[in-house]
Amino acid sequence: MVSFNRVILAGNLTRDPELRFTSDGVPVCSFGIAVNRVRSRNEEVDFFDVSAWRELGETIANYKKKGDPILIEGRLQYRTWEAQDGTKRSKVDIVADNVQFLGRGGDPGDGGTSSGGQARRGRRDDEVDINESDFDDIPF
Amino acid sequence: MVSFNRVILAGNLTRDPELRFTSDGVPVCSFGIAVNRVRSRNEEVDFFDVSAWRELGETIANYKKKGDPILIEGRLQYRTWEAQDGTKRSKVDIVADNVQFLGRGGDPGDGGTSSGGQARRGRRDDEVDINESDFDDIPF
Amino acid sequence: MVSFNRVILAGNLTRDPELRFTSDGVPVCSFGIAVNRVRSRNEEVDFFDVSAWRELGETIANYKKKGDPILIEGRLQYRTWEAQDGTKRSKVDIVADNVQFLGRGGDPGDGGTSSGGQARRGRRDDEVDINESDFDDIPF
Amino acid sequence: MVSFNRVILAGNLTRDPELRFTSDGVPVCSFGIAVNRVRSRNEEVDFFDVSAWRELGETIANYKKKGDPILIEGRLQYRTWEAQDGTKRSKVDIVADNVQFLGRGGDPGDGGTSSGGQARRGRRDDEVDINESDFDDIPF
DNA sequence: TTTT
DNA sequence: TTTT
C-alpha cells in the first residue's frame, strides 16, 4: 500500500503566527499563508492554513509576523469535526516539518540580513504522539 | 513576491474518476485519493479531492478506477463558493499536472504489467484559461 | 541565506543494495536507481547513486534487490575526492531520508502483496554526525 | 515501469549565468548553484550545475548574476561523455523547468523590490526535442 | 479570515 | 463521500 505526502509552498503569512499548547504542554504554532497564483491573469491567490509543532513552531512564532515571506515543506492533512449545528465538516491544511525564512530587505527578525534563515523540527512529525483531542478546544 | 506551490501524493483512488466537460468542451476529471498516514499507530488516512484537465484527465478517466494506486504531482488549490444557505464556504484540493499509474499485480488497465505507466498534461495548468464559471453548475 | 534541497525519484534498483558500516558501526546502504525519462522518444534513462543511513539503510538492504521499483525522497549531495592520479574529482548523488517500496506483482519481499511498503529514517539526516572520513576507504 | 524525477533547490548562483544557443538557435542557460547544508556544523556546501532552456533560460540570463538567491524546480539529469583521454565520464546535473527569483534587499534586477519574481518555461522540458548532439561542442 |  |  503505497503512500506519499509532500507539499512545498512559498508565500506570505496572512496573519501573525499564533502559538498555543496542548494540555501536555506541547507547543503548536498556527498561521495562514497566501500563495499568489503564478501566470494568473486575474491575480488569484490561494490561502492555506499551516501548523508547526514544537521547536519549529516556537521559532516561527518568535521570528515571523503577518506579511513575511516563507518557504514551507510539510505534509497535507485532512481533518474532520462536527460543526455547532451537528453537521460533519472537513478541512485540508498543512503540517510543516521544515521552514525557510525568506528575506525582505532590512527586515529585523531576519537577523539584519535581507536574505533568509532556516528552521527545522527536531523530530519528524510522524513520531509525534499528540492529537487534536489533546486540546481543550478546537485547535484550528 | 515569492510564490511556489507543489504537491506530491501517492495513494489509492477512493472512487471511480468522473469525467466532465466545461461549456467550452474542455475535459476535466475529478477523483478522490486516500493517503494512508505513515507511522501512524491508529491507521489514520488523509482524503483529498483531485482534478486533472484535458488529456491528463481523459487518461485517468480511461484507465483508472476505485482502489487503484496512483502517484500525483500538482498544485494545491483554494476555492470559495457560497453554500445553499448563503454562508461562504471554502475548500482546498489538488490540481494534478503529472500522474504515475502505480501497479497492482496483474491488473488489466495497467496494460497487463503489474508495474506502472505514466501520463502528463500537454500544457501546464498555468496556461489554462478556464475557470469554475465555465461550468453550468458547481464543478466540485 | 536561503537553502533548500529536496529530491523525489521513482525508478528501479540497478543493483542489489550493499550494506556497509562506518568505523563507528553506523550502517549505510548504497544502491543505484534507474529512472526512465518520461516522454523521451529514445528511451533515455537517468542513473543515480543513492545512500541511506541507519535503519532506513538496513530496511532497504534487507528487503530490496536489483530490479525492484522504489520511490525515494531525500537530498542531493555533492562530494569531492582526489583520484588515484591526483586529480580532483566530484560527484552528485542522493541521500535518502524516506523510501517507499513500490510493488511488483506477487513479489516476495513485498510481504506477499503486490502493492508496496514504507520505510523512513528514525532520525533526519541533518542530525547525522558521520562523515566520509569515518570510513576506512572511499564510501562510494 | 514507474518513473518520477523531481528536484527543488534554493541557494545562490556561483557564477553569472551563461547563455548559449544550439545549432538550431535554441537558447540554453547554464549556471551553478550553491546550497548551504542546513544544520551542518562545518558549514558544508553542495554545488550543482543547472541548465534552463528557451524563455526560462533567457530570463535567468537577463536578470540574475553571481551571488543571487534563487529557487529552482526541475529534474535530475544523468549525462555521459568521453573525456580527452578516452575514459568514460559521467555527471549529474539539473534541468530547471521553473524558477523563482528570491530577493536581496534593494537589488536592481529584482525590479527594485527586495522580494522576488517568477519565471517558467513555456513548454515542459519533456517536449523538448533537442539534445547535446545539437551543440557543436560540449555544452557543460 | 487573508499576504506582497 | 472514502482506498489498500
Side-chain angles (χ1 to χ4, degrees):
Chain A
M1 205 189 36
V2 193
S3 70
F4 191 83
N5 186 335
R6 188 114 299 245
V7 193
I8 299 166
L9 297 174
N12 300 79
L13 298 205
T14 57
R15 55 184 194 267
D16 288 337
E18 182 186 9
L19 191 64
R20 308 179 57 180
F21 297 84
T22 66
S23 45
D24 291 349
V26 182
V28 215
C29 174
S30 305
F31 58 97
I33 183 176
V35 180
N36 296 284
R37 225 174 267 181
V38 154
R39 300 252 163 139
S40 160
R41 295 155 230 37
N42 18 348
E43 309 239 322
E44 290 164 301
V45 188
D46 293 296
F47 296 100
F48 308 111
D49 285 319
V50 185
S51 58
W53 293 83
R54 302 176 191 271
E55 304 85 346
L56 179 60
E58 293 179 306
T59 306
I60 296 168
N62 287 334
Y63 293 105
K64 295 289 104 179
K65 62 180 188 313
K66 184 174 176 174
D68 285 351
I70 198 168
L71 174 63
I72 288 169
E73 187 182 8
R75 63 177 178 82
L76 271 188
Q77 179 175 249
Y78 171 79
R79 299 158 126 177
T80 54
W81 73 99
E82 196 160 319
Q84 306 285 53
D85 62 359
T87 61
K88 219 186 166 191
R89 306 293 299 276
S90 72
K91 177 185 207 293
V92 169
D93 54 21
I94 290 121
V95 181
D97 53 43
N98 183 19
V99 149
Q100 276 284 322
F101 296 163
L102 303 173
R104 348 195 256 178
D107 190 341
D110 277 331
T113 92
S114 58
S115 30
Q118 202 272 355
R120 172 168 262 157
R121 303 184 53 254
R123 290 209 289 158
R124 282 238 120 195
D125 179 69
D126 327 301
E127 312 164 38
V128 166
D129 34 27
I130 13 181
N131 211 284
E132 294 153 31
S133 53
D134 294 326
F135 288 93
D136 298 332
D137 44 19
I138 307 159
F140 51 91
Chain B
M1 207 188 38
V2 194
S3 70
F4 191 82
N5 185 336
R6 188 113 297 246
V7 193
I8 299 165
L9 296 175
N12 301 77
L13 299 206
T14 57
R15 57 184 192 267
D16 288 337
E18 182 186 9
L19 191 64
R20 308 179 58 179
F21 297 85
T22 66
S23 46
D24 291 349
V26 182
V28 52
C29 175
S30 305
F31 57 98
I33 183 176
V35 180
N36 296 285
R37 224 174 266 181
V38 154
R39 302 255 162 137
S40 159
R41 295 155 229 34
N42 18 349
E43 308 239 322
E44 289 163 303
V45 188
D46 293 296
F47 297 100
F48 309 111
D49 285 319
V50 185
S51 58
W53 293 83
R54 302 176 192 270
E55 304 85 345
L56 179 61
E58 293 177 307
T59 306
I60 297 168
N62 287 335
Y63 293 104
K64 294 290 104 179
K65 61 179 192 311
K66 183 172 176 177
D68 285 351
I70 199 169
L71 174 63
I72 288 169
E73 186 182 9
R75 62 176 177 81
L76 271 188
Q77 179 175 249
Y78 171 79
R79 298 157 127 180
T80 55
W81 73 98
E82 195 160 319
Q84 305 284 52
D85 62 0
T87 60
K88 220 186 164 191
R89 306 292 299 274
S90 72
K91 176 185 209 290
V92 168
D93 55 22
I94 290 121
V95 182
D97 53 43
N98 182 18
V99 147
Q100 277 283 322
F101 297 163
L102 304 173
R104 345 195 257 178
D107 190 340
D110 276 333
T113 92
S114 58
S115 30
Q118 201 271 354
R120 170 168 265 156
R121 300 185 56 254
R123 290 210 289 157
R124 284 238 116 194
D125 179 70
D126 326 301
E127 311 164 38
V128 166
D129 35 28
I130 10 179
N131 210 284
E132 294 151 32
S133 54
D134 294 325
F135 288 93
D136 298 331
D137 44 18
I138 307 160
F140 51 90
Chain C
M1 208 189 36
V2 193
S3 70
F4 191 82
N5 185 335
R6 188 113 299 244
V7 193
I8 298 165
L9 297 174
N12 299 79
L13 298 205
T14 57
R15 55 182 194 267
D16 288 337
E18 181 187 9
L19 191 64
R20 307 178 58 180
F21 296 85
T22 66
S23 45
D24 292 348
V26 182
V28 52
C29 174
S30 304
F31 58 98
I33 182 175
V35 180
N36 296 285
R37 224 174 267 181
V38 155
R39 301 252 162 141
S40 160
R41 295 155 231 34
N42 19 349
E43 309 238 323
E44 290 163 302
V45 188
D46 293 296
F47 296 99
F48 308 111
D49 286 319
V50 185
S51 58
W53 293 83
R54 302 175 191 272
E55 304 86 343
L56 178 60
E58 292 178 308
T59 306
I60 296 168
N62 288 336
Y63 293 105
K64 294 289 104 178
K65 63 180 189 312
K66 184 174 174 173
D68 285 351
I70 199 168
L71 175 64
I72 289 169
E73 186 182 9
R75 62 175 178 82
L76 271 187
Q77 179 176 251
Y78 171 80
R79 299 157 126 180
T80 55
W81 73 99
E82 196 161 319
Q84 305 285 52
D85 63 0
T87 61
K88 217 185 167 191
R89 307 291 299 276
S90 72
K91 176 185 208 293
V92 168
D93 54 21
I94 290 120
V95 181
D97 54 43
N98 183 18
V99 148
Q100 276 283 323
F101 296 162
L102 304 174
R104 348 194 255 179
D107 190 342
D110 276 331
T113 92
S114 58
S115 31
Q118 202 272 356
R120 170 168 264 158
R121 303 184 54 252
R123 290 209 290 158
R124 283 237 117 195
D125 179 69
D126 327 300
E127 313 164 36
V128 167
D129 34 29
I130 9 179
N131 211 282
E132 295 153 30
S133 54
D134 295 324
F135 289 93
D136 297 331
D137 44 19
I138 307 159
F140 51 92
Chain D
M1 208 190 33
V2 194
S3 70
F4 191 82
N5 185 337
R6 188 113 299 243
V7 193
I8 299 165
L9 297 175
N12 300 80
L13 299 204
T14 57
R15 56 184 193 267
D16 287 338
E18 182 186 8
L19 191 64
R20 307 179 59 178
F21 297 84
T22 66
S23 46
D24 292 348
V26 182
V28 215
C29 175
S30 304
F31 57 97
I33 183 176
V35 181
N36 296 284
R37 223 173 269 181
V38 154
R39 300 253 163 138
S40 159
R41 296 157 230 34
N42 18 347
E43 308 238 325
E44 289 163 302
V45 187
D46 294 296
F47 296 99
F48 308 111
D49 285 320
V50 185
S51 59
W53 293 83
R54 301 176 192 270
E55 305 86 345
L56 179 60
E58 293 178 308
T59 307
I60 296 168
N62 288 335
Y63 293 105
K64 294 289 103 178
K65 61 178 191 314
K66 183 175 176 174
D68 285 351
I70 199 168
L71 175 63
I72 288 168
E73 186 181 8
R75 63 177 177 81
L76 271 188
Q77 179 174 249
Y78 171 80
R79 299 158 125 179
T80 54
W81 73 99
E82 195 161 320
Q84 306 284 52
D85 61 0
T87 60
K88 218 185 165 191
R89 307 291 299 275
S90 71
K91 176 186 209 294
V92 169
D93 55 22
I94 290 122
V95 181
D97 53 43
N98 183 18
V99 148
Q100 276 284 320
F101 297 163
L102 304 174
R104 346 195 257 179
D107 191 341
D110 276 332
T113 92
S114 58
S115 30
Q118 202 273 355
R120 170 168 265 159
R121 302 185 55 252
R123 290 211 288 157
R124 283 237 118 196
D125 180 69
D126 327 303
E127 313 164 37
V128 167
D129 35 27
I130 12 180
N131 211 282
E132 294 154 31
S133 54
D134 295 324
F135 288 93
D136 299 330
D137 44 19
I138 307 158
F140 52 92

